[in-house]
Amino acid sequence: MSAFVSDGFIHLRQAVDLTPGSRLNVLFERTLRQEGLSRDGRLVCPPGVTSLPPSRVADMAVVAPVLWTAICALLGGADRIRRPALLSNALICNFRTSELSDSWHVDGDFFVHHPDSPEQALLVFVLWSDVEDGEGATRAAPPATAGILGHLVRQSQGLTSAEIPARRFAVADPRYVSLTGKAGDAWILHPLTVHQVEPNPHGSPRFISNPAVALAEPMNLAGAGRKSPLEELTLRLLGHSWEPGPDSVRRTFVPDRINRWGDEGTYTDDSSVAPLLP
């Protein structure tokens, strides 16, 4: 886990089992058919980037034990994680895009961000298909995280993800990482990593998912005591200890995308674990 503390990310190979006939691979193929993306074994590729609502969820510890073990190690143990941590078929599909969108952002559109926020403890990308260079991978800007953390310190009341000037920090140090790999790989990054989608001019479809993992309590960024790799990384990027002030606002809310999926009847309530497969 030293690479995570020094670099701000790790590439975990074969994090989930997507071999033909595996439980998750069956889910993946079934999801494509249900969404009308598969016709007689062929993949129909509409243009653009599409996010699918989750219709099947399962406990990550059960269906993706390799990924779960790595996440536990980065966060200081399973007892520090809010359960259940879910893996779903909420696929983010990049079919054919010819230009870079210039949509730098940080994730977490459902809470007010602070340096120690527990609501999204890691930024996790699971690759459901092979993703090579030039095939619409996610482009991440790990050097921007230090600037984001410093900005949050200066905005002690906290900021929503929309209020964080992600692009400003991303373009200031263009040492980007393209999150490529094989189906079943995962990338795990600091939760405040700025990122955006890369163009996919060749039209070879890219499928990923972005499961959220939450801490039971905010990170410990002040005082003594053993620190998790995530806390070590955050303190290294901050350059000093930190604790929330009296004007800090802790708030979660339902983002527009969830309301839209709810109105459409396509969203599975993630407060309970539904069967992964029918």
Side-chain angles (χ1 to χ4, degrees), residues 138-223:
T138 300
R139 177 179 293 182
T145 305
I148 297 290
L149 285 165
H151 186 70
L152 287 174
V153 167
R154 294 187 294 274
Q155 305 291 328
S156 59
Q157 76 281 1
L159 297 172
T160 66
S161 59
E163 293 170 334
I164 295 174
R167 185 182 186 280
R168 182 205 308 173
F169 295 104
V171 301
D173 187 343
R175 289 178 292 165
Y176 305 137
V177 178
S178 184
L179 308 186
T180 59
K182 299 296 184 182
D185 287 2
W187 287 80
I188 308 176
L189 306 95
H190 189 281
L192 288 169
T193 304
V194 180
H195 58 284
Q196 69 173 0
V197 66
E198 291 184 346
N200 186 15
H202 304 299
S204 179
R206 180 222 70 177
F207 298 101
I208 64 171
S209 67
N210 189 201
V213 179
L215 288 167
E217 300 289 341
M219 281 188 269
N220 176 16
L221 302 180

Side-chain angles (χ1 to χ4, degrees), residues 226-271:
R226 184 178 179 183
K227 299 294 191 292
S228 70
L230 173 62
E231 290 164 339
E232 290 181 26
L233 168 61
T234 303
L235 285 167
R236 181 181 70 77
L237 295 174
L238 276 172
H240 54 80
S241 62
W242 180 89
E243 57 185 331
D247 60 341
S248 294
V249 176
R250 301 280 187 186
R251 184 167 64 91
T252 62
F253 41 85
V254 179
D256 290 342
R257 59 189 169 85
I258 301 298
N259 287 325
R260 183 177 71 254
W261 289 338
D263 292 341
E264 295 169 350
T266 56
Y267 183 68
T268 297
D269 182 4
D270 64 1
S271 65

